[in-house]
Amino acid sequence: MLDLERLRALHSVATYGSVSAAADVLHVTTSAVSQQLAKLERETGQKLLERNGRGVRLTDAAELLVEHAEHILSLVERAQADLEAHRGAVVGRLTLGAFATAVRGLVPETLGRLGKDHPDLRVQVRELDPMQSMPLVARGDLDMAVVQDWNNEPLPVPEGLQKAQIFDDVADVALPGDHPLANRATVALQDLVADPWISSSADSICCDWLIHTLRSLGAEPNIAHMAYEIPSQLVLVGAGLGNAILPRLGRVTVPCEVAIAETRPQLTRHVYAVWREEAARRPAIRAALTALRAAAVPAR
């Protein structure tokens, strides 16, 4: 009989490329993963890992076993979801990924509601950009993620995931206080395309969107500086170093040196929750979606 946790360890090594990376994902030591794999080799009578430079690679036998492990782990998750659905209880553990402004603007209220209504559900939150969280949900390393896309650039959802909209969030533009258009309540985005911009990090969905949007308006983006945290972006804007896009969800205190204006056309992003199809029947998934939507009401 193949041991489920040993299969999970092998599957994680195959997915993340190394024993140490698998250990990080599984929240165990590298020694524990190595021991699981050694036991699995004895259990199967097959060599599963071979040295490859400083790392390891999977043998043909391991590759074959990983294919079966994917199906087995998927069936186990579906069985767990069905059992929870049969009980009708919101219990167990839920791992939730969310982008930065959702962590500030949605997650605290969401966790408060879940803690009050479903005290037997343990929720762990990780702050992640959608480009990071979506693959983790697809792999099974997260149960659910709060993600975003923009009205002019939809976010592709990987096969095997389901999504549901939470709400639409509006974004404004932050301008240096001495900007020629700083005294206007509404600013045409076209009038700003040649300006320097402050963006989030290059590997984020917001940076990709900003570049795409400015190029669609006929300008090659001048991304002067990159800062992942919005408070850092606003400090740079206040210093006169560029403009920034400022979502209303999770909005922080705006420095007095920064002017905020609505844009024309209005910038809107769609905020979604995504989860695996196998987990769709889990009461915890439905409860989390309900709590997220309720927490979003003040932000609309």
Side-chain angles (χ1 to χ4, degrees):
M1 180 73 70
L2 295 174
D3 182 89
L4 183 62
E5 292 308 311
R6 293 167 196 167
L7 287 177
R8 196 184 304 277
L10 178 64
H11 183 264
S12 295
V13 171
T15 301
Y16 296 100
S18 70
V19 172
S20 59
D24 288 341
V25 170
L26 296 173
H27 304 291
V28 297
T29 65
T30 54
S31 175
V33 173
S34 297
Q35 290 175 26
Q36 292 280 43
L37 295 175
K39 291 177 181 178
L40 187 59
E41 286 185 333
R42 293 195 295 271
E43 195 172 57
T44 59
Q46 299 277 348
K47 184 75 172 174
L48 300 177
L49 296 180
E50 294 178 340
R51 288 287 180 187
N52 183 27
R54 293 184 178 180
V56 295
R57 71 175 184 87
L58 272 64
T59 65
D60 290 344
E63 295 284 2
L64 178 64
L65 197 54
V66 166
E67 290 183 19
H68 289 290
E70 290 180 355
H71 296 296
I72 292 167
L73 294 173
S74 176
L75 287 172
V76 169
E77 181 177 22
R78 184 170 297 178
Q80 290 173 335
D82 286 346
L83 283 172
E84 288 185 23
H86 181 71
R87 288 178 60 189
V90 181
V91 297
R93 182 170 178 266
L94 183 79
T95 52
L96 175 68
F99 55 92
T101 50
V103 169
R104 286 197 303 272
L106 283 180
V107 167
E109 176 72 15
T110 299
L111 295 186
R113 290 175 178 272
L114 288 173
K116 179 181 177 182
D117 298 338
H118 309 290
D120 293 327
L121 178 67
R122 293 175 291 110
V123 183
Q124 181 188 61
V125 175
R126 294 177 60 185
E127 182 179 311
L128 296 164
D129 187 81
M131 290 184 176
Q132 299 170 304
S133 63
M134 291 273 271
L136 292 178
V137 174
R139 292 171 186 164
D141 299 321
L142 285 175
D143 295 313
M144 175 182 274
V146 179
V147 301
Q148 57 162 317
D149 63 17
W150 294 86
N151 53 357
N152 61 341
E153 192 173 14
L155 179 71
V157 177
E159 184 178 354
L161 298 188
Q162 294 183 0
K163 73 174 185 178
Q165 188 167 357
I166 299 172
F167 83 116
D168 285 346
D169 184 33
V170 175
D172 302 310
V173 63
L175 302 171
D178 60 357
H179 192 284
L181 304 179
N183 61 344
R184 297 189 183 181
T186 304
V187 176
L189 201 57
Q190 183 70 57
D191 294 337
L192 303 173
V193 292
D195 290 358
W197 288 86
I198 315 297
S199 172
S200 55
S201 55
D203 59 349
S204 70
I205 190 172
C206 289
C207 182
D208 281 357
W209 167 81
L210 179 60
I211 292 171
H212 168 80
T213 298
L214 294 177
R215 283 176 177 165
S216 71
L217 294 172
E220 186 57 29
N222 176 11
I223 307 297
H225 305 284
M226 292 183 179
Y228 188 74
E229 293 290 339
I230 285 179
S232 300
Q233 295 178 27
L234 290 175
V235 170
L236 295 173
V237 173
L241 299 174
N243 311 327
I245 299 301
L246 185 62
R248 295 180 185 177
L249 174 65
R251 181 163 295 187
V252 297
T253 301
V254 178
C256 59
E257 302 87 0
V258 175
I260 305 299
E262 295 185 9
T263 64
R264 189 173 65 250
Q266 188 179 70
L267 300 176
T268 305
R269 60 179 182 171
H270 311 300
V271 181
Y272 298 96
V274 297
W275 59 88
R276 290 179 303 284
E277 291 177 352
E278 291 89 345
R281 293 192 64 199
R282 285 189 65 190
I285 295 291
R286 297 196 297 271
L289 179 60
T290 298
L292 284 164
R293 285 173 166 166
V297 172
R300 294 177 189 270

